[in-house]
Amino acid sequence: MKFTPHQERALSFNTHLAVTANAGSGKTQVLVERYVRALLGGVPVGEVVALTYTEKAASALRRKIAERISGALAATTDRAAIARLESIRDALPSAFIGTIHGFCARLLREYPVEAGIDAAFTMVESVDAAVMLRECTGAVVGDVFRGLHAGVPREVFMDLLRSMGRRRVLRAIERLVGKPDLLERFSSPGGVFTLSDKQILGMWEKTIHETLDRELGSPGFIADIGAIAAASSSGKAGEALDLLGRLRAGENLGERAGAYVALAGLMFTQSGAVSKRFLGKGADPAPLERSAGRLARKRKLLDPLLDPVLAGSLAGLHGSLLRDARALIALALAVVERYAARKEEDARLDFDDLQMKMR
């Protein structure tokens, strides 16, 4: 079997490697050859793992490996080679060629005590998992309404419903529950939500200030605003140039942010286009379209960050958002806990459990 130089490099065992290639370029053929060469080099079948994403792909890979071994047997008369190939062929049924989840399940069944699970566990299919999660979510929300949930007071949950709406609250809980590793990072020791409100808001304020400071002072941003200001022949031109000077050299971030907000009010319409009134009669806005487009995209980043800087405090809206976030995370953790208890009671695992228990 002949391989290209690139394919031969992919068959080397001298280093770890990753292969990326287009469809039809021979990736599977190279993978089959790499697998077989490992076995022919003396590695026992039980020490080679081949993982794919689907059962169909795993089945195809197993079949092609078996065909490659059969072909090699038919092509040789060397007794030692025949003996080695026959031992590989006989051991192939026990080889692990399967999916990532299948690999996790196999090892978990071998080490149930270490993983803290029932060795006879069964899998929760996706549809059943979705039904169980909805039931667990409903039970947790019911506890909150009855005042039985210590982590989320009823009045906090009611405020959450008023600000977000029932559907968005349930969707947010569902999305958090679907990311158990993220929830763990948020809530485990050292996670951001184990910090006090003051610490979190302080970190967030620092991030906002650093972002605004960087963006408001970037040369491209200043150049685009300067180009529009210089093109004006209206009575607002002088005011715009004065504000531009304050944007460039303001003593603090609040002054520069205020100058930017005032400039944006002078120069742009509500839709983000350059104001013809600002440019003055007879001015052609066409040469400014690129600058205006870049600034419109920039405003989508900057505008949500400006209010707390101009107000001088994050305690208002951002404090409320933090309280809502804490409530959503507490609710999601409660759903995860109840869902885990349901699965443990029935000796069942879902696909996320396989990976997390394996880890």
Side-chain angles (χ1 to χ4, degrees), residues 91-210:
L92 271 181
S94 65
F96 192 84
I97 303 168
T99 64
I100 294 169
H101 290 118
F103 180 64
C104 292
R106 177 170 171 170
L107 281 184
L108 289 174
R109 291 191 194 282
E110 291 182 17
Y111 299 97
V113 175
E114 291 83 350
I117 59 173
D118 189 322
F121 70 83
T122 57
M123 291 302 301
V124 183
E125 296 302 324
S126 299
V127 174
D128 293 334
V131 171
M132 286 174 64
L133 279 169
R134 279 198 296 272
E135 291 173 354
C136 291
T137 302
V140 168
V141 169
D143 285 348
V144 175
F145 270 121
R146 290 189 293 273
L148 302 177
H149 192 291
V152 181
R154 186 176 186 277
E155 58 271 19
V156 172
F157 184 67
M158 295 304 294
D159 286 343
L160 195 61
L161 289 178
R162 281 189 282 269
S163 63
M164 293 179 62
R166 178 179 176 277
R167 183 176 297 178
R168 288 179 64 196
V169 167
L170 294 177
R171 190 180 303 139
I173 295 171
E174 180 182 320
R175 291 181 67 181
L176 284 169
V177 168
K179 297 183 180 294
D181 54 335
L182 184 65
L183 273 177
E184 185 181 346
R185 288 205 303 273
F186 279 163
S187 57
S188 60
V192 66
F193 281 93
T194 63
L195 302 176
S196 67
D197 285 3
K198 183 178 180 180
Q199 287 173 306
I200 293 176
L201 291 174
M203 291 165 58
W204 180 225
E205 184 173 35
K206 182 183 177 186
T207 301
I208 289 175
H209 281 224
E210 288 175 349

Side-chain angles (χ1 to χ4, degrees), residues 32-55:
V32 168
E33 185 65 20
R34 184 176 172 85
Y35 187 95
V36 171
R37 286 192 187 184
L39 302 183
L40 291 175
V43 180
V45 169
E47 293 184 13
V48 183
V49 175
L51 299 181
T52 69
Y53 287 100
T54 66
E55 294 289 354

